[in-house]
Amino acid sequence: MDEQRPNPDALLAALQKAEARKQRGKLKVFFGMAPGVGKTYAMLEAARREVAASRDVVAGYVETHGRKETDALAEGLSAIPRLQVEYRGMCLPEMDLDALLARRPQLALVDELAHTNAPGSRHPKRCQDVLELLDAGIDVFTTLNVQHVESRAEVVRQITGVGVRETVPDSVLDGAEFELVDLPPEELRARLDAGKVYVPESARAAQEHFFRPGNLAALRELALRFAAERVGQDVLAYRQAHGVADPWKTGQRLLVAVSASPTSASLVRWTRRLAGELQAPWLAVYVELPRPLTEGEHARLARHLALARELGAQVITTTDNDVARGILRVAREQNITQIVIGKPVGWQALELLRGGSLLSRLIRDSGHVDIHAVRAEGEAPVPRKPALPRFDTASARGCGVALGVVAAVTGVNAVLQRWLGYQSLALVYLLSVVILAMFVGRGPTLLAATATALLWNLLFVPPLFTFLISGPTDVMLFITYFVVALAMGHLAARLRSEQGAERRREQRSTALYLLTRELAQASDFADLLAIVIREVGKAAEAEVALSLPAEGSEGALTSYFASTWPMTEKEKSVATWALLHRQPTGFGTDTLPSAEGLHVPLIAGEQVLGVLSLRFRGSAPPTTERRDLLDSFVRQIGLVLDRQRLRDAEQQAKLVAESERLSKALLNSISHEIRTPIAAITSAASSLSEAGEDTGLQRAMVDEIQEATRRLNRLVGNLLDIARLETGRVKPKLDWCDVADLIQATLKDLEGELRGHEVSVELSSGLPLVKMDFVLMQQVLGNLLLNAAVHTQPRTPIQISAAVEQDALVLTVADRGRGLPAEALPFIFDKFYRGPSVPAGGTGLGLAIVKGFVEAQAGQVAAENRPGGGAVFSVRLPLSKAPPVVEASA
Amino acid sequence: MSDKPKPIALVVDDEVQIRRLLRVCLEADGYRVLEAATGQEAITEAAQRKPDVVILDLGLPDMDGVAALKRLREWSRVPVVVLSVRDREEDKIAALDHGADDYVTKPFGTGELLARLRVARRHADPGPETSVFRSGRLEVDLTARVVRLEGAEVKLTATEYSLLRLFVQHPGKVLTHRHILREVWGPNYTEQTHYLRVYMAHLREKLEREPSKPRLLITEPGVGYRLIEEGSVGMAPS
């Protein structure tokens, strides 16, 4: 037993992956280095093979570019007609996703995975269409070139100099099967020269450049490496699933520092590649500084974070005054082993003041964490722009105030100079600058500092009314004043902006705290939902609708009545999409961005509890900050709703348990109270009959008493059984049982009752052991036999038979009585139903109990008339498994 | 008969009527009868008067019958026959697993109860140690490990023999599934009832005159099996 045991967690994950793959459709990518290598052709060939294997294959969208060989292959495959989408007077052919989903083939062919859909389509990108197909359990064949892979796009741009706009996130390709369609570069060139490669008119110019032999060789290597990496992942997954001994991959966790800098995008891609190779989870972290971002920076940052998310990173936004400190804090919290940051460009003097550059400080303080400094390519090599004071109304007002203050202080100084020396006046100026800095921004403060320095020089430092300074003392004084004023202004302004950031953070936590407090006060689920709607509406400044999944039907939503936004049908369908796909949808997202509102699913654990829909006042999408807050809200709400749900379920369970306890106590006491006197009568009667006072009359009377008490006892038993069935307390204990034994034990029990009938048993040979509850089945069979005995003439035969039919054991009780009246057949197993013209006696409970007990064991009952007269009752019990083999004993 | 001391039966039941009835029946059968209405009383009586057999109801006012049985079994091996209205197999199994010798459900025939009491008492007092068990046609020689049916030797496999031996060592007593599986197959097999079903069918095939109507090894539905000692009592169904 020295075989290494695979890690159980990895095994479990592999199993779950396999499970998820089984339900989800499988994606197969025909992967190439460049257009023209024959991907579509290879895909169609593969599709033909699938058709030959009699799978249901439909071409969702296949682009043959009119090439004859390819056309010939596509012919005869069933295809979905293309959708013509009108856009600015043009007709753009698109794949008809809904038609394809409705058709539900086993396998769909979707060419050109990286395609961008016409505006107005459900998803901006075709790869999202493909994901939806996969989610619907449809396998997909698709084609893709290496330059369209998100994480490789940057490298391709560096190699070819051609930027790629249409990219496919790597996460889409996770779990996909890759088939590399390879062609030596010379052959591709030859095909190109022969005009066999379709190149759009607009790209003719770039064509020559792109298809240079050197480029093609590089692209080919890139494609081969990418495909090989995928295969490597498959092998790893296989090894985990099959317990092949494998060195445990170190638990690497990567972190990439993301900022608004244009270089961040390629940093993110670089990290994704590294993470892919290491099979490691990775985080993208943005450290929010007190300095506010410009509009452009904001948009860029949002793009970078979205890119990271798309590539599979967990995105974390944190606030700190210092980037290095923020990164290291997150790294410690998240057990990060490697940090990726951009290599600094140039030399920045200010860094020295802060104790070294970001990189050197990270290296110094990171301890055991590895640091990768990566040379990053930007969209354009922009050095960090100096933070120019922006000129908006706020700072204009600030400048006005500053100039006013400067003017006023100059007036005061003009008066004061009678008593004070001009050096002291500088201090008065300085005082005014410092006080000013507490109220206005950095720009106005710097303006005031400069203005006062100049005015002081001009008006008070001799020689007056010139900017000349005579003595070295004055020069020293002027320079010192200038530097001190600037520094003071700078520091005061920074303090203020930090206070601002602090205030924003506090507002955020206050809002969260308020929400939590409000939610905690909710008395029940309905109250909770009303609070959610109110608080989210307040915080997001939006109209809010909350929809809950409708009971019973998959995917249907009902709006909660307290919603403040009456959604249209269209918005409801968007909300449903969000529910089914468990991701935010609509306004401000990638899916159905033309919707009016933003629809966010409330997820708690594995369950989607509902959808929160928001229509923002104003047309701009919410800021990053607000989205962050909203995300926190939604997480919090999900947690609270889940807790409430669990609490409700627990309460329900308690209630059920309590009522069960009561009914059990009641049944026990009834059973005790009735059976005790019956027991007394029975034992007294049996004593009498055994005492042997043998006058005929006495014996007959004792027999009557015994018969009556037996009947009474059976009635009580039946009533108790029905009560147990009604309250759902019949819990069969399924165990392997011998059918012959069951029949024998039942017959032995009913010897007296069946004395007047000829009972025969017919067992087919080789009956297996059957999983059933022996005691329940004994009652079932007993009731059927009693039923037959009561409803037939004495000395008529009763036949019991047992046989295996398909996957069930069939047990029948047949009699030769008058049979069942046709009108009674549908009701015969109903409670208290008694057939027409049956002899008095019996409660009509026996057969209802039979049905209840059999169904509790997942079986079925049936009654019909026999050919030749009489009734036959049959019980089918499923043979779920073959009975275990009992090996012959030694 | 009269020179022998009368056996003492302790009737534990909270119902006066049942106690009265049992007293009449038992006295007619030659017992001296003690009565107890609660579990506590029963334990005190059993300790002081050393009864020869105990008839125990499970629904006692002060404690559960099984709990009383457990306390009693801590120090006494007196045969106990449970007499209860509880007819669920869990209750029977619980009582048998906690040391009851037999289980009779109310309503009951007095003849059957008296017969069960006799069987229970005989086992508590095994008498001279015999290595050969006889019952009707069946003869089991425990020292020679030989089984004979009407004098002719019957070949049993090792497992079949150890199964039969277990029954022979406790004739007339209900053995629960778990008990049999533990004794014959081992403690890891107590849930493997299919073993038992298969081997019981084998044994019946070899020992019963009519395997479909067993007279020796009879099924106690949902509880276990019992080996009948032929000629000992009339086991009439209730």
Side-chain angles (χ1 to χ4, degrees):
Chain A
M1 280 311 240
D2 51 348
E3 170 187 285
Q4 262 180 298
R5 290 173 63 81
N7 179 328
D9 288 338
L11 262 181
L12 185 64
L15 273 178
Q16 282 168 344
K17 247 191 197 165
E19 196 62 29
R21 225 179 286 134
K22 231 177 266 167
Q23 290 155 8
R24 242 177 141 242
K26 270 196 296 204
L27 179 66
K28 182 165 184 174
V29 180
F30 293 83
F31 191 65
M33 58 173 169
V37 291
K39 295 178 301 293
T40 305
Y41 189 85
M43 177 176 79
L44 288 171
E45 269 188 337
R48 290 241 152 216
R49 282 196 295 277
E50 296 288 330
V51 171
S54 66
R55 290 191 71 199
D56 183 17
V57 181
V58 165
Y61 191 99
V62 174
E63 187 55 77
T64 63
H65 298 301
R67 282 194 289 267
K68 254 188 251 133
E69 307 95 318
T70 320
D71 267 337
L73 268 181
E75 241 169 64
L77 279 176
S78 79
I80 298 284
R82 292 178 187 184
L83 201 63
Q84 299 294 332
V85 180
E86 282 267 332
Y87 182 66
R88 293 194 183 150
M90 283 187 296
C91 240
L92 302 173
E94 287 296 344
M95 180 170 79
D96 192 344
L97 178 60
D98 287 318
L100 194 54
L101 282 170
R103 168 74 175 70
R104 270 199 83 83
Q106 284 172 298
L107 172 66
L109 309 181
V110 182
D111 218 348
E112 293 174 18
L113 185 63
H115 173 78
T116 301
N117 287 336
S121 306
R122 167 149 36 163
H123 302 293
K125 290 189 163 194
R126 180 169 292 162
C127 59
Q128 291 169 307
D129 294 347
V130 167
L131 284 181
E132 201 170 338
L133 287 173
L134 294 174
D135 282 341
I138 300 171
D139 292 349
V140 175
F141 280 4
T142 189
T143 62
L144 184 69
N145 284 326
V146 68
Q147 80 254 32
H148 295 301
V149 177
E150 180 80 61
S151 62
R152 299 299 190 269
E154 181 61 31
V155 185
V156 173
R157 194 187 66 77
Q158 285 168 11
I159 294 171
T160 64
V162 179
V164 179
R165 234 175 256 109
E166 298 187 324
T167 56
V168 174
D170 291 48
S171 56
V172 173
L173 304 175
D174 283 342
E177 189 187 335
F178 272 70
E179 183 162 327
L180 186 70
V181 183
D182 190 33
L183 197 68
E186 308 83 64
E187 275 180 47
L188 180 59
R189 292 279 309 173
R191 288 190 55 168
L192 191 70
D193 292 340
K196 281 185 179 169
V197 176
Y198 169 81
V199 180
E201 217 39 64
S202 53
R204 289 270 177 226
Q207 173 194 339
E208 264 314 299
H209 187 67
F210 189 86
F211 284 99
R212 272 199 323 226
N215 281 355
L216 286 182
L219 285 173
R220 188 181 186 204
E221 191 193 330
L222 202 60
L224 285 168
R225 266 176 49 191
F226 187 78
E229 210 176 274
R230 293 280 143 178
V231 173
Q233 285 173 17
D234 286 353
V235 168
L236 189 65
Y238 172 87
R239 294 180 124 191
Q240 280 171 357
H242 294 80
V244 179
D246 189 62
W248 166 240
K249 287 270 172 198
T250 47
Q252 295 286 357
R253 285 170 71 82
L254 311 186
L255 179 154
V256 57
V258 179
S259 71
S261 151
T263 57
S264 275
S266 69
L267 271 190
V268 167
R269 292 201 183 92
W270 194 91
T271 313
R272 153 80 207 192
R273 273 204 300 280
L274 183 63
E277 277 157 27
L278 292 177
Q279 296 272 308
W282 60 296
L283 273 66
V285 173
Y286 167 62
V287 181
E288 191 182 355
L289 295 171
R291 183 175 69 88
L293 295 176
T294 64
E295 286 284 309
E297 283 174 327
H298 221 75
R300 232 181 2 249
L301 176 66
R303 238 186 0 255
H304 295 159
L305 293 181
L307 174 73
R309 238 178 244 127
E310 216 170 294
L311 291 178
Q314 185 190 343
V315 172
I316 292 182
T317 307
T318 182
T319 316
D320 209 300
N321 284 330
D322 184 74
V323 178
R325 206 165 59 201
I327 291 175
L328 287 172
R329 182 160 43 78
V330 174
R332 261 193 305 279
E333 285 166 4
Q334 301 283 339
N335 289 325
I336 295 299
T337 58
Q338 305 190 20
I339 295 177
V340 179
I341 63 161
K343 211 168 173 179
V345 225
W347 185 78
Q348 279 168 328
L350 263 181
E351 300 287 2
L352 276 180
L353 293 176
R354 294 196 197 146
S357 71
L358 171 63
L359 178 59
S360 60
R361 296 189 46 225
L362 273 181
I363 290 172
R364 201 176 58 214
D365 299 337
S366 55
H368 60 278
V369 180
D370 297 339
I371 309 281
H372 299 265
V374 176
R375 188 182 69 91
E377 295 284 328
E379 289 166 353
V382 214
R384 168 114 61 76
K385 269 187 288 179
L388 282 176
R390 275 173 298 135
F391 223 76
D392 50 30
T393 48
S395 51
R397 203 171 55 240
C399 289
V401 170
L403 291 177
V405 168
V406 170
V409 173
T410 307
V412 170
N413 271 351
V415 178
L416 286 179
Q417 72 170 322
R418 278 192 231 158
W419 299 286
L420 300 176
Y422 63 89
Q423 287 96 337
S424 310
L425 298 183
L427 292 179
V428 176
Y429 270 129
L430 196 58
L431 185 67
S432 74
V433 170
V434 170
I435 292 173
L436 194 63
M438 291 177 192
F439 297 98
V440 299
R442 183 191 309 247
T445 311
L446 294 182
L447 178 71
T450 317
T452 48
L454 294 177
L455 281 175
W456 177 62
N457 184 5
L458 188 69
L459 301 178
F460 302 107
V461 179
L464 295 183
F465 309 112
T466 65
F467 287 113
L468 285 175
I469 300 173
S470 50
T473 318
D474 289 345
V475 172
M476 190 60 220
L477 202 58
F478 179 76
I479 292 172
T480 313
Y481 172 81
F482 199 64
V483 170
V484 168
L486 282 181
M488 291 299 274
H490 181 75
L491 286 177
R494 200 167 96 183
L495 199 67
R496 243 169 55 85
S497 75
E498 272 174 20
Q499 274 173 349
E502 188 64 41
R503 208 164 45 239
R504 279 200 301 280
R505 272 203 303 278
E506 201 179 305
Q507 274 168 356
R508 194 148 85 189
S509 33
T510 308
L512 256 181
Y513 166 71
L514 285 178
L515 174 77
T516 315
R517 204 186 55 184
E518 290 289 323
L519 289 177
Q521 284 169 354
S523 54
D524 56 12
F525 205 66
D527 201 16
L528 197 64
L529 298 182
I531 291 170
V532 165
I533 290 170
R534 195 181 65 221
E535 292 298 315
V536 171
K538 239 194 299 186
E541 290 177 23
E543 291 167 274
V544 179
L546 185 63
S547 325
L548 303 172
E551 292 281 325
S553 57
E554 177 85 359
L557 279 173
T558 43
S559 281
Y560 190 64
F561 70 90
S563 303
T564 53
W565 176 28
M567 281 194 289
T568 60
E569 276 308 310
K570 184 176 166 236
E571 291 299 318
K572 270 188 194 160
S573 70
V574 181
T576 308
W577 203 93
L579 175 82
L580 291 180
H581 293 77
R582 296 165 156 250
Q583 59 186 37
T585 309
F587 189 62
T589 69
D590 261 358
T591 313
L592 298 164
S594 60
E596 240 184 290
L598 172 65
H599 304 267
V600 190
L602 296 171
I603 297 175
E606 286 298 293
Q607 250 192 329
V608 189
L609 301 171
V611 179
L612 198 61
S613 306
L614 302 110
R615 183 167 64 181
F616 298 99
R617 298 181 192 117
S619 59
T623 57
T624 321
E625 208 172 300
R626 186 160 282 171
R627 264 307 291 275
D628 259 9
L629 181 61
L630 193 60
D631 281 351
S632 318
F633 265 42
V634 166
R635 261 198 305 280
Q636 188 68 31
I637 291 167
L639 286 178
V640 172
L641 286 183
D642 197 40
R643 207 178 53 208
Q644 182 73 32
R645 199 173 51 82
L646 289 177
R647 202 158 56 192
D648 287 358
E650 189 194 324
Q651 221 145 36
Q652 188 66 28
K654 257 192 208 152
L655 217 66
V656 169
E658 180 62 13
S659 80
E660 217 167 82
R661 199 186 61 77
L662 273 177
S663 76
K664 194 171 174 181
L666 190 67
L667 287 181
N668 276 346
S669 103
I670 290 176
S671 135
H672 184 259
E673 286 308 305
I674 299 180
R675 278 187 169 157
T676 301
I678 295 178
I681 299 171
T682 310
S683 60
S686 68
S687 293
L688 274 183
S689 80
E690 279 154 24
E693 299 296 330
D694 225 359
T695 71
L697 180 68
Q698 273 182 1
R699 163 134 317 258
M701 290 300 115
V702 167
D703 282 353
E704 282 308 311
I705 295 173
Q706 281 183 316
E707 173 63 36
T709 46
R710 254 207 300 275
R711 201 164 121 192
L712 190 57
N713 191 45
R714 207 151 47 224
L715 171 68
V716 174
N718 277 349
L719 282 172
L720 291 172
D721 283 341
I722 276 288
R724 271 170 66 204
L725 276 170
E726 293 281 283
T727 49
R729 295 205 299 112
V730 173
K731 299 200 174 64
K733 282 185 291 297
L734 299 182
D735 201 351
W736 295 108
C737 295
D738 184 347
V739 180
D741 203 8
L742 169 78
I743 295 172
Q744 173 272 321
T746 315
L747 286 176
K748 190 163 180 299
D749 238 20
L750 296 177
E751 238 166 11
E753 284 81 352
L754 296 173
R755 200 163 286 146
H757 291 269
E758 299 162 27
V759 182
S760 61
V761 179
E762 192 186 313
L763 298 177
S764 65
S765 61
L767 274 181
L769 292 181
V770 180
K771 271 234 157 165
M772 59 186 175
D773 184 314
F774 195 94
V775 175
L776 290 187
M777 280 310 290
Q778 202 191 355
Q779 262 175 287
V780 165
L781 188 58
N783 279 354
L784 289 178
L785 288 171
L786 282 176
N787 187 62
V790 168
H791 292 133
T792 57
Q793 298 297 317
R795 270 174 300 284
T796 52
I798 296 175
Q799 289 172 315
I800 306 170
S801 73
V804 172
E805 271 178 33
Q806 286 148 12
D807 295 337
L809 170 81
V810 180
L811 198 62
T812 60
V813 174
D815 62 43
R816 286 288 179 199
R818 272 172 303 170
L820 303 163
E823 69 268 26
L825 275 179
F827 311 108
I828 196 123
F829 289 107
D830 287 358
K831 221 179 353 176
F832 300 118
Y833 178 81
R834 306 195 56 236
S837 70
V838 295
T843 50
L845 287 177
L847 290 180
I849 291 169
V850 166
K851 184 169 190 254
F853 282 1
V854 170
E855 286 178 354
Q857 300 170 73
Q860 293 164 327
V861 288
E864 57 194 0
N865 283 314
R866 272 175 102 185
V872 54
F873 290 84
S874 60
V875 171
R876 293 177 73 89
L877 281 183
L879 296 175
S880 51
K881 278 188 291 196
V885 179
V886 178
E887 64 277 17
S889 58
Chain B
M1 194 85 174
S2 57
D3 51 340
K4 263 201 201 164
K6 282 183 175 181
I8 302 173
L10 172 61
V11 176
V12 187
D13 201 310
D14 61 330
E15 291 285 339
V16 186
Q17 200 180 15
I18 298 286
R19 290 208 302 270
R20 215 162 46 212
L21 205 98
L22 284 172
R23 173 180 285 279
V24 173
C25 294
L26 290 169
E27 282 179 353
D29 205 44
Y31 287 89
R32 235 158 46 114
V33 177
L34 306 172
E35 292 179 24
T38 65
Q40 196 50 55
E41 240 177 83
I43 288 163
T44 318
E45 284 285 289
Q48 290 176 351
R49 315 283 286 271
K50 305 269 185 258
D52 297 293
V53 66
V54 176
I55 300 170
L56 178 67
D57 185 18
L58 290 185
L60 297 176
D62 59 338
M63 65 171 86
D64 189 72
V66 175
L69 181 58
K70 263 198 258 181
R71 299 250 319 255
L72 192 62
R73 274 286 172 260
E74 283 167 13
W75 50 268
S76 168
R77 298 183 47 80
V78 60
V80 174
V81 173
V82 168
L83 178 64
S84 171
V85 289
R86 298 190 197 167
D87 57 353
R88 308 277 297 279
E89 61 276 20
E90 301 98 280
D91 298 316
K92 296 184 190 173
I93 291 170
L96 292 169
D97 279 349
H98 284 103
D101 292 83
D102 209 337
Y103 195 109
V104 179
T105 48
K106 297 176 187 172
F108 56 95
T110 45
E112 187 194 355
L113 178 67
L114 292 173
R116 300 277 185 100
L117 288 178
R118 275 197 291 277
V119 171
R121 277 180 53 216
R122 194 164 54 242
H123 298 144
D125 172 29
E129 194 73 32
T130 54
S131 64
V132 180
F133 169 88
R134 282 195 189 83
S135 166
R137 309 184 303 135
L138 178 70
E139 185 185 307
V140 182
D141 186 333
L142 293 172
T143 22
R145 298 171 67 97
V146 172
V147 180
R148 287 194 194 84
L149 208 56
E150 288 174 336
E153 192 179 332
V154 180
K155 286 274 173 211
L156 295 184
T157 65
T159 311
E160 284 164 2
Y161 178 75
S162 36
L163 186 59
L164 181 62
R165 189 181 53 199
L166 184 67
F167 281 112
V168 164
Q169 284 162 346
H170 305 277
K173 186 175 176 184
V174 181
L175 302 179
T176 62
H177 296 142
R178 286 176 68 86
H179 178 79
I180 303 173
L181 285 163
R182 195 175 52 233
E183 292 294 320
V184 176
W185 278 274
N188 295 335
Y189 288 83
T190 52
E191 304 300 323
Q192 313 290 327
T193 35
H194 56 280
Y195 279 67
L196 191 50
R197 302 280 184 214
V198 169
Y199 278 97
M200 285 307 290
H202 290 173
L203 264 189
R204 282 173 174 167
E205 202 64 47
K206 290 183 179 176
L207 302 181
E208 299 280 359
R209 189 172 283 140
E210 270 184 282
S212 64
K213 285 184 189 156
R215 302 254 157 228
L216 267 176
L217 295 163
I218 64 159
T219 304
E220 290 290 327
V223 178
Y225 296 92
R226 181 206 298 268
L227 173 71
I228 301 287
E229 283 176 290
E230 218 149 286
S232 62
V233 284
M235 285 283 180
S238 56

